[in-house]
Amino acid sequence: MTPTAQKPTPPACRALTSWRWAALLALGLMPATQALAREPGPGPVKALPPLERNSLDMQFRRLPAGSFWMGSVEPAARLAHDYPELNTGRFGKLQDEGPVHRVRISKPFWMGVHEVTVGQFRRFVEASGHVPESIADGTGAYGYNAQYDPATSPRKDAFEGRLPRYSWRDPGFPQGDDHPVVNVSWADAQAMAAWLSRVEGRRYRLPTEAEWEYAARAGTRSRYHSGDKPASLLRVANVFDAETATLWPRWQDKALPGHDGHVFTAPVGQFAPNAWGLHDMHGNAWEWVADWYGEDYYAHSPRIDPQGPPEGEVRVRRGGSWHSWAFYARSSFRNWNKPDTRYVLLGFRLMREADD
């Protein structure tokens, strides 16, 4: 089973029982769908936010401060209807997406328009002397190998690894400098942010999970910024479609019935952006965010600028990838990995704090 299509219970996380959900609803921490529909978001977008470029020619848009509803409480029956290709048992394992709660992002911030590219990461490595973890510890990363059979893997992983032959330089398929860098660890992403901060004198970092979802939604409450229909992703996201499925025929039924033009990663910015001018918030590469993962964190997280649990064992990743089924590219979906993970589907996007 492909790792982007499952989410086992992480260590040290407690399950949310049905009585706790009922209590949260009674306390008003899980608004009804009708209430969410009436609650105003950041408001209609009249013009794209301001755009700036940095020393690596990375583009950033200045997102306004604002409030939004974070998470999802869609009924399992509705999800089963709209995603008939998936086992219905999956829809009962989404407790970490709730309760839906109102979050305020109190300050504007500059969000990366694109995922960090191979070329930008290379320039960082060459200028800083940073040695990515896949190379530093000699164990490598994961990659695509046409001769590899997932059935032979103990974890039934879709990709071969971890092996020294794979790294951010070689994920097993061709990438140009304008493709999203993958096979980078959480520490690698942090190192690039710290280096840019030193060089430019402005603070770069990974977005928090709340900042990421706020940016991805761009004022929407739908599953994707393109709407609720999975097929709508074909014009805004590089996900698991008919082209990619030709290499993994066992998962053909999970593919979107269309073609996005790319079997593996796509050059960043090839698909339509969201209302705030951000590309690839769905698909192309999973994106590390700053937070530790907590399954029940939403039940007690701060309502203003939540930073995630103070400690943990795994870090959150968001957005889905070129190999993700549509269900896992939803704006609310949460996944996670150990910080030292370097995986062929996993990259990152940076943000920069506003000076004012």
Side-chain angles (χ1 to χ4, degrees):
M1 185 176 295
T2 173
T4 62
Q6 61 183 343
K7 183 167 59 174
T9 302
C13 289
R14 295 177 290 123
L16 291 175
T17 58
S18 58
W19 68 266
R20 290 180 67 201
W21 284 105
L24 291 169
L25 182 59
L27 290 170
L29 295 176
M30 188 192 304
T33 302
Q34 293 84 352
L36 292 179
R38 292 194 300 268
E39 182 68 25
V45 177
K46 298 179 181 179
L48 288 176
L51 178 73
E52 285 191 0
R53 297 173 185 265
N54 72 357
S55 59
L56 293 183
D57 203 32
M58 299 168 68
Q59 299 179 43
F60 294 82
R61 287 202 180 273
R62 191 179 193 272
L63 305 190
S67 299
F68 75 112
W69 287 110
M70 186 173 184
S72 175
V73 288
E74 283 199 79
R78 182 184 176 192
L79 292 170
H81 176 271
D82 291 353
Y83 301 93
E85 70 279 6
L86 298 183
N87 186 303
T88 56
R90 295 183 185 276
F91 308 129
K93 299 177 181 179
L94 300 172
Q95 292 93 337
D96 64 349
E97 293 186 16
V100 175
H101 56 293
R102 192 71 171 163
V103 170
R104 175 162 180 75
I105 305 299
S106 67
K107 299 176 182 178
F109 63 98
W110 294 87
M111 187 68 162
V113 171
H114 307 113
E115 293 154 336
V116 173
T117 67
V118 172
Q120 291 160 352
F121 192 76
R122 178 183 294 109
R123 291 174 63 185
F124 150 65
V125 167
E126 292 174 349
S128 68
H130 175 74
V131 180
E133 284 197 81
S134 59
I135 298 169
D137 65 14
T139 64
Y142 285 78
Y144 172 71
N145 181 350
Q147 281 70 53
Y148 166 76
D149 181 1
T152 66
S153 167
R155 297 194 305 122
K156 304 298 186 287
D157 200 296
F159 299 94
E160 184 179 42
R162 179 189 299 181
L163 292 172
R165 65 179 288 190
Y166 299 117
S167 71
W168 69 273
R169 293 193 182 100
D170 182 9
F173 54 83
Q175 281 194 304
D177 275 1
D178 56 354
H179 284 235
V181 68
V182 295
N183 274 335
V184 286
S185 69
W186 188 85
D188 293 332
Q190 291 286 79
M192 184 174 182
W195 176 79
L196 274 171
S197 299
R198 290 194 302 272
V199 169
E200 298 190 3
R202 306 175 77 176
R203 191 186 178 206
Y204 289 84
R205 58 177 174 82
L206 289 172
T208 65
E209 191 172 12
E211 289 166 341
W212 189 94
E213 187 168 328
Y214 177 68
R217 290 189 178 281
T220 66
R221 269 303 303 166
S222 49
R223 292 169 180 159
Y224 317 106
H225 68 76
S226 53
D228 282 328
K229 294 181 179 179
S232 71
L233 284 176
L234 287 170
R235 64 184 177 84
V236 303
N238 178 22
V239 293
F240 194 78
D241 68 344
E243 284 165 311
T244 305
T246 61
L247 301 183
W248 286 273
R250 64 185 297 184
W251 295 313
Q252 179 72 48
D253 63 323
K254 310 297 191 301
L256 284 180
H259 301 266
D260 61 25
H262 302 277
V263 176
F264 300 106
T265 55
V268 299
Q270 291 292 296
F271 294 83
N274 69 11
W276 282 343
L278 306 178
H279 295 265
D280 302 318
M281 296 301 290
H282 306 297
N284 220 13
W286 285 96
E287 299 177 16
W288 286 115
V289 297
D291 303 33
W292 290 111
Y293 175 80
E295 186 178 43
D296 62 351
Y297 180 67
Y298 286 6
H300 52 78
S301 65
R303 295 300 182 252
I304 300 176
D305 300 326
Q307 303 294 304
E311 58 185 15
E313 298 181 32
V314 288
R315 296 283 184 178
V316 178
R317 60 173 177 167
R318 288 298 209 109
S321 75
W322 59 271
H323 199 269
S324 295
W325 307 337
F327 178 74
Y328 300 99
R330 293 175 300 116
S331 295
S332 61
F333 186 72
R334 308 173 70 203
N335 214 326
W336 47 264
N337 280 101
K338 291 183 177 180
D340 68 345
T341 298
R342 62 300 297 256
Y343 198 61
V344 68
L345 308 180
L346 180 55
F348 66 104
R349 180 187 308 255
L350 293 179
M351 59 87 74
R352 191 181 71 207
E353 294 185 353
D355 297 328
D356 53 321

